[in-house]
Amino acid sequence: MPILKCSSLHKVYGHTVALRNADLEIEPGRIVGLLGPNGSGKSTLIKICTGLLTPSSGFVQIGGSNPGPETKGIVSYLPENSYLNSWMKVSHMISFFKDFYSDFNMAKATEMLSNLNINTNSTIKSLSKGTKEKVQLILVMARDAKLYLLDEPIGGVDPAARDYILNTIIKNYNPEASVVISTHLIYDIEQVLDDVIFLKNGEVALSSSVDDLREQRGMSVDAYFREVFKC
Amino acid sequence: MLGKLMKYEFMALGRIFLPLFAALIIMSLVSSLFGYLQLTIPTGLGIFVAVVLIIGIAVISFIITIQRFWTNLLSNEGYLTMTLPASVDSIILSKLFVSAILFIVSGIVVMGSILIMGGAWMGFGSILDMFIRAFENAPFNSYQMVIFLLQSLASVILGSFSFILLMYACMSLSMLVNKNRWLMAFGSYIAITTILQVVAVLIATIIAALGFHDRLDGVLNSFLMNFSLFGQFQFLSWSVVGVTLVLCVVYYLITRHMLSKRLNLQ
Protein backbone atom coordinates (compact mmCIF):
# COMPACT_ATOMS: atom_id res chain seq x y z
CA MET A 1 0.00 0.00 0.00
CA PRO A 2 1.40 3.46 -0.87
CA ILE A 3 2.26 5.61 2.14
CA LEU A 4 0.96 8.68 0.28
CA LYS A 5 -1.73 8.74 -2.37
CA CYS A 6 -3.16 11.86 -4.01
CA SER A 7 -6.11 11.54 -6.33
CA SER A 8 -7.36 14.36 -8.61
CA LEU A 9 -6.12 16.86 -6.06
CA HIS A 10 -7.27 20.37 -6.89
CA LYS A 11 -6.70 23.54 -4.89
CA VAL A 12 -7.91 27.01 -5.77
CA TYR A 13 -7.09 30.21 -3.85
CA GLY A 14 -9.57 32.86 -4.96
CA HIS A 15 -8.94 33.05 -8.73
CA THR A 16 -5.55 31.30 -8.59
CA VAL A 17 -5.31 27.57 -9.26
CA ALA A 18 -2.47 26.21 -7.10
CA LEU A 19 -2.97 22.49 -7.90
CA ARG A 20 -4.67 20.98 -10.94
CA ASN A 21 -5.98 17.43 -10.61
CA ALA A 22 -2.69 16.12 -9.22
CA ASP A 23 -2.43 12.32 -9.05
CA LEU A 24 0.53 10.67 -7.39
CA GLU A 25 1.55 7.73 -5.25
CA ILE A 26 4.61 7.33 -3.04
CA GLU A 27 5.66 3.88 -1.87
CA PRO A 28 7.35 3.21 1.50
CA GLY A 29 11.15 3.36 1.65
CA ARG A 30 11.62 6.00 -1.05
CA ILE A 31 13.36 9.38 -0.98
CA VAL A 32 11.37 11.58 -3.34
CA GLY A 33 12.28 15.01 -4.70
CA LEU A 34 9.25 17.26 -5.21
CA LEU A 35 10.71 19.66 -7.72
CA GLY A 36 9.42 22.75 -9.38
CA PRO A 37 10.00 26.49 -9.64
CA ASN A 38 8.53 28.95 -7.14
CA GLY A 39 4.74 29.00 -7.25
CA SER A 40 4.45 25.56 -8.89
CA GLY A 41 2.32 24.18 -6.02
CA LYS A 42 4.95 22.28 -3.99
CA SER A 43 4.12 23.87 -0.63
CA THR A 44 0.38 23.67 -1.31
CA LEU A 45 0.65 19.93 -2.00
CA ILE A 46 2.67 19.36 1.18
CA LYS A 47 0.29 21.49 3.28
CA ILE A 48 -2.68 19.46 2.06
CA CYS A 49 -0.85 16.26 3.04
CA THR A 50 -0.22 17.64 6.54
CA GLY A 51 -3.85 18.65 6.98
CA LEU A 52 -3.00 22.36 7.12
CA LEU A 53 -5.03 22.98 3.97
CA THR A 54 -8.23 21.40 2.75
CA PRO A 55 -8.29 20.55 -1.00
CA SER A 56 -10.95 22.21 -3.17
CA SER A 57 -11.62 18.76 -4.66
CA GLY A 58 -9.98 15.34 -4.84
CA PHE A 59 -8.47 13.56 -1.87
CA VAL A 60 -5.23 12.60 -0.20
CA GLN A 61 -4.59 9.48 1.88
CA ILE A 62 -1.67 8.79 4.19
CA GLY A 63 -1.26 5.15 5.14
CA GLY A 64 -4.85 4.65 3.92
CA SER A 65 -6.39 7.44 6.07
CA ASN A 66 -7.50 10.97 5.33
CA PRO A 67 -5.39 13.71 6.99
CA GLY A 68 -6.35 14.07 10.66
CA PRO A 69 -4.93 13.57 14.16
CA GLU A 70 -4.13 9.92 13.32
CA THR A 71 -2.05 10.73 10.20
CA LYS A 72 -0.39 13.69 11.96
CA GLY A 73 1.03 11.13 14.38
CA ILE A 74 2.92 9.37 11.55
CA VAL A 75 3.85 12.39 9.41
CA SER A 76 6.88 14.48 10.33
CA TYR A 77 6.60 17.88 8.68
CA LEU A 78 9.25 20.55 8.22
CA PRO A 79 7.71 23.82 6.99
CA GLU A 80 9.58 26.64 5.27
CA ASN A 81 8.90 28.95 8.22
CA SER A 82 10.36 28.71 11.70
CA TYR A 83 7.60 27.36 13.93
CA LEU A 84 9.57 27.10 17.18
CA ASN A 85 8.13 28.79 20.28
CA SER A 86 10.60 31.66 20.76
CA TRP A 87 10.27 31.80 24.58
CA MET A 88 11.18 28.11 25.02
CA LYS A 89 14.64 26.67 25.50
CA VAL A 90 15.88 24.02 23.05
CA SER A 91 15.44 21.47 25.87
CA HIS A 92 11.77 22.57 26.28
CA MET A 93 11.17 22.02 22.57
CA ILE A 94 12.64 18.52 22.89
CA SER A 95 10.30 17.74 25.81
CA PHE A 96 7.42 19.19 23.79
CA PHE A 97 8.12 16.82 20.89
CA LYS A 98 8.61 13.89 23.29
CA ASP A 99 5.25 14.66 24.92
CA PHE A 100 3.25 14.91 21.71
CA TYR A 101 4.90 12.38 19.40
CA SER A 102 5.14 8.79 20.58
CA ASP A 103 7.68 8.11 17.79
CA PHE A 104 10.13 10.79 18.99
CA ASN A 105 13.59 9.27 19.41
CA MET A 106 15.35 11.10 22.23
CA ALA A 107 18.75 9.43 21.68
CA LYS A 108 18.73 10.42 18.01
CA ALA A 109 17.85 14.05 18.86
CA THR A 110 20.55 14.32 21.54
CA GLU A 111 23.18 12.89 19.20
CA MET A 112 22.33 15.26 16.35
CA LEU A 113 22.23 18.31 18.66
CA SER A 114 25.63 17.43 20.08
CA ASN A 115 27.09 16.80 16.56
CA LEU A 116 26.05 20.30 15.56
CA ASN A 117 27.25 21.82 18.89
CA ILE A 118 23.82 23.19 19.80
CA ASN A 119 23.43 24.09 23.47
CA THR A 120 20.10 22.75 24.72
CA ASN A 121 19.98 25.43 27.43
CA SER A 122 19.80 28.25 24.88
CA THR A 123 16.45 29.93 24.40
CA ILE A 124 15.14 29.73 20.85
CA LYS A 125 15.04 33.51 20.43
CA SER A 126 18.78 33.75 21.19
CA LEU A 127 19.67 31.41 18.29
CA SER A 128 20.70 32.59 14.83
CA LYS A 129 18.35 31.98 11.91
CA GLY A 130 20.51 29.12 10.61
CA THR A 131 20.71 27.43 14.04
CA LYS A 132 16.94 27.70 14.45
CA GLU A 133 16.56 25.90 11.12
CA LYS A 134 18.96 23.20 12.26
CA VAL A 135 17.08 22.70 15.55
CA GLN A 136 13.82 22.46 13.66
CA LEU A 137 15.26 19.92 11.23
CA ILE A 138 16.71 17.85 14.08
CA LEU A 139 13.33 17.77 15.86
CA VAL A 140 11.64 16.65 12.65
CA MET A 141 14.24 14.04 11.69
CA ALA A 142 14.53 12.64 15.25
CA ARG A 143 11.05 11.21 14.91
CA ASP A 144 10.71 7.62 13.69
CA ALA A 145 7.89 8.69 11.38
CA LYS A 146 6.37 6.87 8.40
CA LEU A 147 6.42 9.90 6.14
CA TYR A 148 8.72 12.93 6.28
CA LEU A 149 7.53 16.00 4.40
CA LEU A 150 10.39 18.47 4.15
CA ASP A 151 9.55 21.81 2.57
CA GLU A 152 12.77 23.53 1.38
CA PRO A 153 14.96 21.96 4.11
CA ILE A 154 18.26 23.19 2.69
CA GLY A 155 17.30 26.66 1.50
CA GLY A 156 18.65 28.75 4.35
CA VAL A 157 21.65 26.83 5.73
CA ASP A 158 25.34 26.98 4.86
CA PRO A 159 26.88 24.32 2.54
CA ALA A 160 28.49 22.39 5.43
CA ALA A 161 25.17 22.16 7.27
CA ARG A 162 23.51 21.25 3.96
CA ASP A 163 25.79 18.21 3.66
CA TYR A 164 25.07 17.27 7.27
CA ILE A 165 21.33 17.52 6.64
CA LEU A 166 21.49 15.35 3.53
CA ASN A 167 23.66 12.80 5.34
CA THR A 168 21.13 12.81 8.18
CA ILE A 169 18.34 12.07 5.75
CA ILE A 170 20.28 9.16 4.19
CA LYS A 171 21.44 7.86 7.60
CA ASN A 172 17.86 7.80 8.87
CA TYR A 173 16.81 5.63 5.97
CA ASN A 174 14.12 3.22 7.05
CA PRO A 175 12.56 0.76 4.57
CA GLU A 176 9.12 1.55 5.97
CA ALA A 177 9.48 5.32 5.81
CA SER A 178 9.44 7.71 2.89
CA VAL A 179 10.92 11.17 2.62
CA VAL A 180 9.51 13.87 0.36
CA ILE A 181 11.87 16.81 -0.14
CA SER A 182 10.54 19.89 -1.84
CA THR A 183 13.19 22.15 -3.30
CA HIS A 184 14.43 24.01 -6.33
CA LEU A 185 18.11 23.41 -5.35
CA ILE A 186 18.22 20.16 -7.31
CA TYR A 187 21.96 19.86 -7.84
CA ASP A 188 22.56 19.56 -4.08
CA ILE A 189 20.05 16.83 -3.41
CA GLU A 190 20.12 14.82 -6.62
CA GLN A 191 22.58 12.29 -5.13
CA VAL A 192 20.14 11.23 -2.37
CA LEU A 193 16.93 10.92 -4.43
CA ASP A 194 15.27 7.66 -5.52
CA ASP A 195 12.34 9.30 -7.33
CA VAL A 196 11.43 12.72 -8.65
CA ILE A 197 8.12 14.50 -9.17
CA PHE A 198 8.12 17.66 -11.31
CA LEU A 199 5.35 20.14 -10.60
CA LYS A 200 4.60 22.75 -13.26
CA ASN A 201 1.82 25.31 -12.76
CA GLY A 202 0.13 23.02 -10.27
CA GLU A 203 0.21 19.96 -12.54
CA VAL A 204 2.32 16.83 -12.20
CA ALA A 205 4.60 17.19 -15.24
CA LEU A 206 6.69 14.09 -14.45
CA SER A 207 6.79 11.28 -11.92
CA SER A 208 9.69 8.88 -12.36
CA SER A 209 12.53 7.09 -10.66
CA VAL A 210 15.87 8.92 -10.93
CA ASP A 211 17.51 5.91 -12.59
CA ASP A 212 14.81 5.69 -15.28
CA LEU A 213 15.02 9.41 -15.94
CA ARG A 214 18.81 9.34 -16.36
CA GLU A 215 18.61 6.28 -18.59
CA GLN A 216 15.78 7.51 -20.81
CA ARG A 217 16.85 11.16 -21.10
CA GLY A 218 20.59 10.63 -20.92
CA MET A 219 21.05 13.56 -18.55
CA SER A 220 21.05 14.40 -14.86
CA VAL A 221 17.87 15.39 -13.02
CA ASP A 222 19.25 18.92 -12.70
CA ALA A 223 19.90 19.20 -16.44
CA TYR A 224 16.48 17.81 -17.31
CA PHE A 225 14.81 20.16 -14.83
CA ARG A 226 16.52 23.13 -16.52
CA GLU A 227 15.24 21.90 -19.88
CA VAL A 228 11.63 21.41 -18.73
CA PHE A 229 11.41 24.69 -16.83
CA LYS A 230 13.41 26.80 -19.27
CA CYS A 231 12.21 30.42 -19.14
CA MET B 1 -3.98 15.34 24.32
CA LEU B 2 -6.12 18.05 25.93
CA GLY B 3 -4.12 17.69 29.15
CA LYS B 4 -0.77 17.98 27.35
CA LEU B 5 -1.91 21.00 25.36
CA MET B 6 -3.16 22.67 28.55
CA LYS B 7 0.16 21.94 30.27
CA TYR B 8 2.13 23.90 27.65
CA GLU B 9 -0.48 26.65 27.62
CA PHE B 10 -0.11 27.01 31.40
CA MET B 11 3.68 27.12 30.99
CA ALA B 12 3.42 29.88 28.37
CA LEU B 13 1.06 31.98 30.50
CA GLY B 14 2.54 31.16 33.91
CA ARG B 15 5.88 32.77 33.09
CA ILE B 16 4.04 36.07 32.50
CA PHE B 17 1.32 35.95 35.16
CA LEU B 18 2.96 34.32 38.18
CA PRO B 19 5.42 37.24 38.65
CA LEU B 20 2.55 39.72 38.19
CA PHE B 21 0.35 37.94 40.75
CA ALA B 22 3.27 37.69 43.18
CA ALA B 23 4.05 41.41 42.74
CA LEU B 24 0.42 42.36 43.42
CA ILE B 25 0.12 40.22 46.55
CA ILE B 26 3.47 41.51 47.91
CA MET B 27 2.46 45.13 47.15
CA SER B 28 -0.91 44.63 48.91
CA LEU B 29 0.80 43.11 51.95
CA VAL B 30 3.37 45.92 52.06
CA SER B 31 0.73 48.68 51.80
CA SER B 32 -1.49 47.00 54.41
CA LEU B 33 1.57 46.80 56.72
CA PHE B 34 2.19 50.54 56.19
CA GLY B 35 -1.54 51.11 56.83
CA TYR B 36 -1.32 49.11 60.06
CA LEU B 37 1.67 51.25 61.12
CA GLN B 38 -0.40 54.35 60.15
CA LEU B 39 2.25 55.63 57.71
CA THR B 40 -0.05 57.60 55.38
CA ILE B 41 2.24 58.50 52.46
CA PRO B 42 3.89 55.04 51.98
CA THR B 43 0.43 53.42 52.31
CA GLY B 44 -0.98 55.73 49.62
CA LEU B 45 1.99 54.99 47.38
CA GLY B 46 1.64 51.23 47.96
CA ILE B 47 -2.08 51.33 47.13
CA PHE B 48 -1.32 53.34 43.98
CA VAL B 49 1.20 50.73 42.80
CA ALA B 50 -1.25 47.92 43.63
CA VAL B 51 -4.02 49.65 41.62
CA VAL B 52 -1.63 50.05 38.66
CA LEU B 53 -0.83 46.32 38.94
CA ILE B 54 -4.57 45.46 39.04
CA ILE B 55 -5.21 47.49 35.89
CA GLY B 56 -2.08 45.92 34.36
CA ILE B 57 -3.32 42.39 35.09
CA ALA B 58 -6.73 43.17 33.55
CA VAL B 59 -5.20 44.65 30.39
CA ILE B 60 -2.51 41.95 30.05
CA SER B 61 -5.08 39.12 30.56
CA PHE B 62 -7.04 40.53 27.63
CA ILE B 63 -3.99 41.08 25.40
CA ILE B 64 -2.43 37.69 26.19
CA THR B 65 -5.68 35.84 25.39
CA ILE B 66 -5.62 37.40 21.94
CA GLN B 67 -1.84 37.11 21.46
CA ARG B 68 -1.66 33.40 22.41
CA PHE B 69 -4.36 32.43 19.92
CA TRP B 70 -2.93 34.62 17.19
CA THR B 71 0.73 33.61 17.44
CA ASN B 72 0.23 29.99 18.43
CA LEU B 73 -2.47 29.10 15.91
CA LEU B 74 -2.67 31.68 13.13
CA SER B 75 0.98 32.73 12.72
CA ASN B 76 4.21 30.75 12.24
CA GLU B 77 3.79 28.67 15.41
CA GLY B 78 0.53 27.45 13.86
CA TYR B 79 2.60 25.23 11.54
CA LEU B 80 3.54 23.21 14.61
CA THR B 81 0.35 23.49 16.67
CA MET B 82 -1.96 22.62 13.79
CA THR B 83 0.13 19.59 12.76
CA LEU B 84 0.21 18.04 16.25
CA PRO B 85 -1.66 14.73 16.47
CA ALA B 86 -4.52 16.47 18.29
CA SER B 87 -8.05 17.29 17.19
CA VAL B 88 -9.05 20.89 16.43
CA ASP B 89 -11.50 20.61 19.37
CA SER B 90 -8.68 19.81 21.85
CA ILE B 91 -6.61 22.69 20.49
CA ILE B 92 -9.42 25.27 20.85
CA LEU B 93 -10.61 23.92 24.21
CA SER B 94 -7.10 23.89 25.70
CA LYS B 95 -6.69 27.58 24.90
CA LEU B 96 -10.25 28.39 26.05
CA PHE B 97 -10.00 26.56 29.38
CA VAL B 98 -6.57 27.97 30.27
CA SER B 99 -7.62 31.54 29.35
CA ALA B 100 -10.85 31.21 31.36
CA ILE B 101 -8.91 29.82 34.34
CA LEU B 102 -6.50 32.75 33.98
CA PHE B 103 -9.41 35.25 34.00
CA ILE B 104 -10.91 33.65 37.10
CA VAL B 105 -7.59 33.34 38.96
CA SER B 106 -6.80 36.98 38.05
CA GLY B 107 -10.20 37.95 39.52
CA ILE B 108 -9.51 35.98 42.72
CA VAL B 109 -6.00 37.47 43.11
CA VAL B 110 -7.33 41.01 42.52
CA MET B 111 -10.18 40.49 45.03
CA GLY B 112 -7.72 38.97 47.51
CA SER B 113 -5.42 41.96 47.12
CA ILE B 114 -8.32 44.43 47.65
CA LEU B 115 -9.37 42.42 50.71
CA ILE B 116 -5.83 42.54 52.15
CA MET B 117 -5.57 46.32 51.63
CA GLY B 118 -9.16 47.00 52.74
CA GLY B 119 -8.71 44.70 55.74
CA ALA B 120 -5.72 46.67 56.98
CA TRP B 121 -7.61 49.92 56.48
CA MET B 122 -11.00 48.99 57.91
CA GLY B 123 -10.13 45.91 59.98
CA PHE B 124 -10.82 42.33 58.83
CA GLY B 125 -13.54 41.96 61.46
CA SER B 126 -15.65 44.79 60.05
CA ILE B 127 -15.32 43.41 56.49
CA LEU B 128 -16.50 40.00 57.71
CA ASP B 129 -19.42 41.72 59.53
CA MET B 130 -20.33 43.50 56.32
CA PHE B 131 -20.54 40.17 54.43
CA ILE B 132 -22.60 38.55 57.21
CA ARG B 133 -25.01 41.50 57.27
CA ALA B 134 -25.35 41.45 53.47
CA PHE B 135 -26.10 37.72 53.66
CA GLU B 136 -28.70 38.20 56.46
CA ASN B 137 -30.42 41.16 54.80
CA ALA B 138 -30.70 39.45 51.42
CA PRO B 139 -34.30 38.84 50.35
CA PHE B 140 -33.55 35.12 49.89
CA ASN B 141 -33.32 32.31 52.46
CA SER B 142 -30.04 30.40 52.97
CA TYR B 143 -30.87 27.71 50.40
CA GLN B 144 -31.83 30.34 47.83
CA MET B 145 -28.69 32.33 48.64
CA VAL B 146 -26.48 29.31 47.90
CA ILE B 147 -28.30 28.80 44.58
CA PHE B 148 -27.91 32.53 43.85
CA LEU B 149 -24.15 32.42 44.50
CA LEU B 150 -23.66 29.24 42.45
CA GLN B 151 -25.64 30.71 39.55
CA SER B 152 -23.63 33.92 39.74
CA LEU B 153 -20.40 31.91 39.65
CA ALA B 154 -21.65 29.85 36.68
CA SER B 155 -22.63 33.07 34.89
CA VAL B 156 -19.15 34.52 35.43
CA ILE B 157 -17.50 31.35 34.03
CA LEU B 158 -19.88 31.17 31.07
CA GLY B 159 -19.43 34.91 30.48
CA SER B 160 -15.64 34.42 30.32
CA PHE B 161 -16.10 31.56 27.84
CA SER B 162 -18.37 33.65 25.67
CA PHE B 163 -16.00 36.66 25.68
CA ILE B 164 -12.94 34.53 24.87
CA LEU B 165 -14.75 32.54 22.16
CA LEU B 166 -15.95 35.79 20.55
CA MET B 167 -12.29 36.90 20.31
CA TYR B 168 -11.32 33.51 18.84
CA ALA B 169 -14.13 33.62 16.27
CA CYS B 170 -13.17 37.15 15.14
CA MET B 171 -9.47 36.24 14.82
CA SER B 172 -10.32 33.03 12.93
CA LEU B 173 -12.49 34.97 10.48
CA SER B 174 -9.43 37.05 9.59
CA MET B 175 -8.18 34.04 7.60
CA LEU B 176 -10.77 34.84 4.95
CA VAL B 177 -8.44 37.59 3.69
CA ASN B 178 -4.76 37.51 2.79
CA LYS B 179 -3.87 41.07 3.78
CA ASN B 180 -4.74 43.34 6.72
CA ARG B 181 -5.81 40.43 8.88
CA TRP B 182 -5.91 42.45 12.11
CA LEU B 183 -8.29 44.86 10.40
CA MET B 184 -10.50 41.94 9.32
CA ALA B 185 -10.51 40.56 12.90
CA PHE B 186 -11.48 43.98 14.28
CA GLY B 187 -14.12 44.41 11.56
CA SER B 188 -15.59 40.98 12.45
CA TYR B 189 -15.79 42.06 16.10
CA ILE B 190 -17.64 45.28 15.19
CA ALA B 191 -19.98 43.36 12.83
CA ILE B 192 -20.84 40.60 15.35
CA THR B 193 -21.41 42.97 18.29
CA THR B 194 -23.52 45.30 16.12
CA ILE B 195 -25.71 42.40 14.94
CA LEU B 196 -26.18 41.28 18.56
CA GLN B 197 -27.15 44.79 19.67
CA VAL B 198 -29.67 45.14 16.83
CA VAL B 199 -31.22 41.78 17.78
CA ALA B 200 -31.34 42.79 21.47
CA VAL B 201 -33.05 46.11 20.62
CA LEU B 202 -35.55 44.29 18.36
CA ILE B 203 -36.45 41.82 21.13
CA ALA B 204 -36.79 44.65 23.68
CA THR B 205 -39.03 46.58 21.27
CA ILE B 206 -41.24 43.54 20.69
CA ILE B 207 -41.60 42.95 24.45
CA ALA B 208 -42.36 46.66 25.02
CA ALA B 209 -44.93 46.59 22.20
CA LEU B 210 -46.59 43.56 23.77
CA GLY B 211 -46.85 45.52 27.03
CA PHE B 212 -48.99 48.16 25.30
CA HIS B 213 -51.42 45.57 24.00
CA ASP B 214 -54.29 45.20 26.48
CA ARG B 215 -54.78 41.45 26.32
CA LEU B 216 -51.12 40.52 25.90
CA ASP B 217 -50.10 42.86 28.70
CA GLY B 218 -52.42 40.93 30.99
CA VAL B 219 -50.92 37.61 29.89
CA LEU B 220 -47.35 38.93 30.40
CA ASN B 221 -48.13 40.34 33.84
CA SER B 222 -49.93 37.27 35.07
CA PHE B 223 -47.01 35.13 33.81
CA LEU B 224 -44.49 37.18 35.82
CA MET B 225 -46.78 37.48 38.87
CA ASN B 226 -46.80 33.68 39.13
CA PHE B 227 -43.18 33.87 40.30
CA SER B 228 -41.83 34.90 43.69
CA LEU B 229 -38.93 37.37 43.80
CA PHE B 230 -36.53 34.42 43.79
CA GLY B 231 -38.48 32.84 40.94
CA GLN B 232 -38.25 36.04 38.90
CA PHE B 233 -34.52 36.12 39.55
CA GLN B 234 -34.27 32.48 38.47
CA PHE B 235 -36.21 33.19 35.28
CA LEU B 236 -33.94 36.11 34.42
CA SER B 237 -30.78 34.24 35.37
CA TRP B 238 -31.61 31.13 33.30
CA SER B 239 -32.53 33.32 30.34
CA VAL B 240 -29.09 35.00 30.48
CA VAL B 241 -27.37 31.61 30.86
CA GLY B 242 -29.34 30.22 27.89
CA VAL B 243 -28.51 33.15 25.59
CA THR B 244 -24.81 33.10 26.61
CA LEU B 245 -24.66 29.36 26.01
CA VAL B 246 -26.13 29.75 22.50
CA LEU B 247 -23.59 32.51 21.73
CA CYS B 248 -20.73 30.30 23.01
CA VAL B 249 -21.82 27.47 20.69
CA VAL B 250 -22.08 29.81 17.69
CA TYR B 251 -18.64 31.39 18.31
CA TYR B 252 -17.11 27.94 18.89
CA LEU B 253 -18.54 26.54 15.65
CA ILE B 254 -17.24 29.53 13.66
CA THR B 255 -13.74 29.06 15.14
CA ARG B 256 -13.82 25.31 14.59
CA HIS B 257 -14.94 25.63 10.97
CA MET B 258 -12.29 28.25 10.19
CA LEU B 259 -9.46 26.25 11.79
CA SER B 260 -10.40 22.90 10.28
CA LYS B 261 -11.65 23.90 6.81
CA ARG B 262 -10.38 27.40 6.06
CA LEU B 263 -6.98 27.44 7.73
CA ASN B 264 -4.77 29.77 5.72
CA LEU B 265 -1.39 30.24 7.41
CA GLN B 266 1.05 32.70 5.91
Side-chain angles (χ1 to χ4, degrees):
Chain A
M1 185 173 67
I3 183 69
L4 174 66
K5 181 178 181 182
C6 299
S7 194
S8 307
L9 212 52
H10 204 77
K11 179 69 185 175
V12 183
Y13 296 110
H15 298 293
T16 314
V17 182
L19 276 179
R20 289 169 203 270
N21 298 315
D23 288 299
L24 53 97
E25 287 190 6
I26 292 174
E27 295 298 325
R30 310 292 288 177
I31 300 179
V32 183
L34 184 61
L35 313 175
N38 294 329
S40 55
K42 305 187 296 287
S43 292
T44 301
L45 176 62
I46 287 185
K47 282 183 188 173
I48 292 175
C49 298
T50 60
L52 282 174
L53 285 178
T54 311
S56 305
S57 62
F59 69 87
V60 58
Q61 286 195 320
I62 290 147
S65 307
N66 297 325
E70 201 183 306
T71 64
K72 288 174 184 177
I74 57 167
V75 171
S76 195
Y77 167 53
L78 179 78
E80 276 181 281
N81 319 44
S82 169
Y83 62 28
L84 304 171
N85 291 248
S86 56
W87 60 273
M88 284 192 186
K89 288 180 175 182
V90 175
S91 56
H92 285 147
M93 279 312 308
I94 294 173
S95 312
F96 183 93
F97 267 67
K98 180 94 190 123
D99 263 353
F100 283 100
Y101 297 107
S102 55
D103 58 9
F104 188 75
N105 188 328
M106 192 67 141
K108 217 195 257 184
T110 313
E111 188 199 333
M112 286 195 273
L113 285 165
S114 118
N115 284 346
L116 288 177
N117 294 318
I118 295 170
N119 182 358
T120 52
N121 276 322
S122 309
T123 48
I124 300 291
K125 64 177 162 217
S126 71
L127 302 176
S128 69
K129 189 169 172 276
T131 311
K132 275 184 204 165
E133 287 188 17
K134 285 174 198 164
V135 171
Q136 197 160 301
L137 182 89
I138 288 170
L139 291 168
V140 168
M141 293 312 294
R143 286 181 55 195
D144 294 323
K146 295 271 166 55
L147 178 64
Y148 297 85
L149 298 172
L150 315 178
D151 199 353
E152 300 284 357
I154 54 171
V157 294
D158 56 81
R162 197 171 288 182
D163 287 345
Y164 181 81
I165 290 166
L166 294 175
N167 284 335
T168 306
I169 293 169
I170 300 168
K171 214 166 74 181
N172 281 317
Y173 177 79
N174 169 357
E176 286 179 11
S178 288
V179 184
V180 176
I181 309 172
S182 135
T183 188
H184 51 265
L185 301 170
I186 301 159
Y187 180 77
D188 289 300
I189 66 155
E190 187 168 343
Q191 41 170 334
V192 304
L193 299 180
D194 296 315
D195 301 316
V196 285
I197 295 165
F198 282 9
L199 275 185
K200 192 177 185 180
N201 299 326
E203 283 178 273
V204 177
L206 171 85
S207 178
S208 158
S209 81
V210 171
D211 291 341
D212 285 353
L213 189 145
R214 282 192 189 126
E215 204 173 297
Q216 287 167 10
R217 311 280 170 182
M219 57 178 91
S220 69
V221 175
D222 189 38
Y224 187 59
F225 181 88
R226 285 166 199 270
E227 192 178 297
V228 172
F229 294 101
K230 197 171 182 178
C231 298
Chain B
M1 268 308 154
L2 183 63
K4 286 179 188 172
L5 288 163
M6 284 178 71
K7 174 182 142 185
Y8 283 93
E9 204 56 27
F10 273 123
M11 274 171 68
L13 296 181
R15 80 203 161 90
I16 298 166
F17 280 94
L18 289 181
L20 272 178
F21 290 161
L24 179 59
I25 302 258
I26 290 169
M27 219 51 236
S28 312
L29 287 170
V30 168
S31 38
S32 63
L33 182 70
F34 285 147
Y36 182 72
L37 297 172
Q38 302 196 322
L39 301 169
T40 321
I41 294 173
T43 311
L45 207 64
I47 290 176
F48 174 74
V49 174
V51 169
V52 169
L53 279 169
I54 289 171
I55 296 169
I57 287 175
V59 173
I60 292 172
S61 301
F62 173 70
I63 293 173
I64 292 287
T65 299
I66 292 174
Q67 187 257 354
R68 278 298 296 164
F69 190 86
W70 191 271
T71 53
N72 204 231
L73 298 186
L74 308 183
S75 304
N76 278 352
E77 287 177 20
Y79 283 94
L80 178 59
T81 314
M82 299 307 294
T83 52
L84 290 173
S87 64
V88 172
D89 292 313
S90 324
I91 291 171
I92 303 172
L93 289 177
S94 67
K95 296 240 175 298
L96 172 66
F97 290 161
V98 174
S99 285
I101 290 170
L102 174 76
F103 275 23
I104 291 160
V105 172
S106 297
I108 292 170
V109 171
V110 166
M111 280 193 289
S113 133
I114 293 171
L115 205 64
I116 291 171
M117 290 188 289
W121 204 261
M122 300 160 56
F124 287 103
S126 59
I127 288 184
L128 192 67
D129 276 349
M130 213 167 70
F131 275 109
I132 292 171
R133 252 181 286 129
F135 207 84
E136 282 170 354
N137 293 335
F140 308 144
N141 63 34
S142 305
Y143 165 74
Q144 288 173 338
M145 200 63 191
V146 171
I147 300 282
F148 169 75
L149 289 175
L150 283 177
Q151 270 182 339
S152 305
L153 185 69
S155 301
V156 168
I157 295 171
L158 209 58
S160 314
F161 280 6
S162 154
F163 175 72
I164 296 164
L165 284 169
L166 170 62
M167 298 294 132
Y168 289 176
C170 294
M171 285 188 276
S172 307
L173 284 169
S174 73
M175 282 187 298
L176 290 173
V177 294
N178 287 323
K179 284 181 187 168
N180 303 322
R181 288 192 166 177
W182 274 113
L183 207 61
M184 178 67 183
F186 187 64
S188 308
Y189 177 78
I190 301 282
I192 292 174
T193 47
T194 307
I195 291 169
L196 287 178
Q197 275 172 9
V198 168
V199 170
V201 168
L202 270 178
I203 291 172
T205 314
I206 291 168
I207 291 174
L210 289 180
F212 283 115
H213 192 285
D214 286 347
R215 268 186 71 187
L216 287 173
D217 185 38
V219 172
L220 208 65
N221 268 331
S222 58
F223 173 73
L224 285 173
M225 293 311 277
N226 279 336
F227 294 112
S228 62
L229 181 64
F230 182 69
Q232 284 179 7
F233 163 74
Q234 287 273 300
F235 177 71
L236 189 71
S237 181
W238 283 120
S239 308
V240 172
V241 166
V243 171
T244 316
L245 207 59
V246 170
L247 290 178
C248 282
V249 171
V250 172
Y251 299 150
Y252 184 84
L253 291 177
I254 293 174
T255 311
R256 190 181 192 282
H257 173 76
M258 292 305 298
L259 290 184
S260 51
K261 304 280 182 211
R262 308 293 294 266
L263 193 66
N264 179 13
L265 300 177
Q266 289 182 328

